[in-house]
Amino acid sequence: MTAHTAPLAAMRVPRRPSWLIAVTVATVGIPPGPDAFGPGVQITAGDVAGLALVLVAAFLLVTGRVQMPRAALPAFGPLVVGLGISTVCSADITASLAGFVRNTQIFVLVPLAVVLLVRDRRDLTIVCSSLLGLGLAEAGYGIWQSATGNGASIGGENIRAVGTFGALDVMAMSIVVGFAFLILTAFALTAPRRGAAAVPAALIGLVVLAVALALALSRGTWIALGAAAVLTMVLFDRWTAVKVLACCAALLVVVVTVGGGGQAVAERSSSMVASISQPDQSVDDRYNLWAAALRIWEDHPVTGVGVKNFPAYRDTYASIGLSSGSETDDSVNGYVRQPLLSPHNEYLLFLSEQGVVGLAGFGALFGVLLAGLWRRRRPRDPLWLAGVGLLTFLLVNFVYADMGGPTCVLTAIVMGAIGARAFGTVRE
């Protein structure tokens, strides 16, 4: 031990640093306030807790208590290189520097910290349990919001469940609850081996989460969650998947036909079918943003226009039909008109701001995660099933949404949990 590492070695770290990850997950549910949204750099409680995770992981790495997994370089290296190249070649380097730091935090530092802090199955179970706990808490609050008219406004009624995140980030609660739903689904499939009481408890939790997801009225999350949940069940057992889907169909009928938000759920569901031929204003704006992102990439194919520069180019490339902003309203924040700062598609955001270089780095990260899960496949392992479900959810959800708001750190933790299982660093 050198003189430089001796002071670090004197620092005390919890026996299970995974509890620090659980605390970080809990901080995501702290109401962010209106300053956490909009242009510029916003720092939330989750960001501060995420920084603490990175520092603890760095300390353990420097003192030799943990080792960097071999899969870390091919997973995170290309993404960092792509970020660096697009930042150097940016049309506005000053703006892109902040984006470089933010993207490195969310896609590299926090996930890698989670990989280093999760050492065995108990650690990974602690992380998954914290995600499940946050999801259930947000689901319960969201159901109360919808039942009492304290949610976000839709169709003139404040019945949309948004949890502690408020109307300024209407998709956040559905993403958090979606994570929890997939984790509980993975554990529910293997619940019979854990005792008779585990099955009804898991089913009650799934019902609560499902109701909250329905009342969140987030169509993109519904699609991503449906794809992820079906894949998880099919990988576990095809016959089980058929029976569960039949029960879910019956539950959907109940949710649509009863409750204060039932009509809104039915209308929102039918709008998914009409989104291709007769899109509403929200969907039409998304199509226009996607088209603008593609046009930006066509003019800047290799390195893009630089991280955080999409808003500066949006109006130049968007059609005249694009709205000037999205409207939100709830009892806490009131009426707010938010600017459209991204294409609402993570792949097109990378493509327009970082070009094919950045998208290749992004693809490398998820390619390594997919390959690692496939090599270490264990369909009867709930942690493996949860990893597959969460990764599928992210990949599909990125088609309709991108990273933003208080849930960025939570998504980074989820990627880290997937990486811990995919990299093979979790001891049995």
Side-chain angles (χ1 to χ4, degrees), residues 388-412:
V388 171
L390 291 170
L391 183 57
T392 304
F393 178 85
L394 288 177
L395 291 174
V396 178
N397 192 61
F398 281 160
V399 176
Y400 305 96
D402 45 47
M403 303 277 278
T407 56
C408 282
V409 171
L410 191 71
T411 304

Side-chain angles (χ1 to χ4, degrees), residues 32-65:
D35 293 337
F37 302 91
V41 178
Q42 296 85 31
I43 299 176
T44 65
D47 291 323
V48 176
L51 176 60
L53 284 184
V54 173
L55 293 177
V56 172
F59 162 67
L60 295 177
L61 188 63
V62 169
T63 56
R65 302 187 191 184

Side-chain angles (χ1 to χ4, degrees), residues 72-132:
L73 182 60
F76 301 109
L79 192 145
V80 174
V81 171
L83 272 171
I85 293 175
S86 65
T87 299
V88 172
C89 300
S90 171
D92 185 351
I93 296 180
T94 302
S96 292
L97 281 174
F100 175 86
V101 173
R102 181 63 165 168
N103 276 263
T104 303
Q105 172 204 5
I106 299 303
F107 290 106
V108 180
L109 296 180
V110 174
L112 188 54
V114 173
V115 170
L116 294 175
L117 297 179
V118 171
R119 300 167 300 182
D120 54 30
R121 292 182 62 85
R122 185 176 176 184
D123 283 329
L124 191 51
T125 301
I126 289 173
V127 175
C128 289
S129 298
S130 66
L131 291 166
L132 176 58

Side-chain angles (χ1 to χ4, degrees), residues 117-254:
L117 297 179
V118 171
R119 300 167 300 182
D120 54 30
R121 292 182 62 85
R122 185 176 176 184
D123 283 329
L124 191 51
T125 301
I126 289 173
V127 175
C128 289
S129 298
S130 66
L131 291 166
L132 176 58
L134 177 64
L136 286 170
E138 292 289 345
Y141 185 46
I143 292 172
W144 174 84
Q145 287 176 320
S146 182
T148 60
N150 285 285
S153 176
I154 186 168
E157 298 181 89
N158 292 339
I159 58 173
R160 186 171 187 178
V162 289
T164 59
F165 305 99
L168 295 179
D169 195 353
V170 293
M171 291 186 63
M173 191 210 76
S174 65
I175 292 173
V176 172
V177 176
F179 289 157
F181 187 92
L182 291 170
I183 291 170
L184 191 54
T185 297
F187 280 88
L189 291 172
T190 58
R193 297 183 299 174
R194 303 174 186 276
V199 176
L203 291 177
I204 292 173
L206 286 172
V207 169
V208 172
L209 295 171
V211 172
L213 283 164
L215 297 176
L217 304 177
S218 177
R219 294 169 293 191
T221 303
W222 291 348
I223 294 172
L225 184 64
V230 169
L231 178 61
T232 300
M233 291 186 291
V234 169
L235 289 174
F236 179 79
D237 182 77
R238 294 179 182 178
W239 178 235
T240 299
V242 172
K243 292 187 289 185
V244 171
L245 288 174
C247 293
C248 289
L251 177 62
L252 181 61
V253 172
V254 174

Side-chain angles (χ1 to χ4, degrees), residues 154-155 217 219 222 256 261-272:
I154 186 168
L217 304 177
R219 294 169 293 191
W222 291 348
V256 170
Q263 184 178 358
V265 174
E267 293 175 354
R268 198 72 167 168
S269 301
S270 62
S271 70
M272 293 169 60

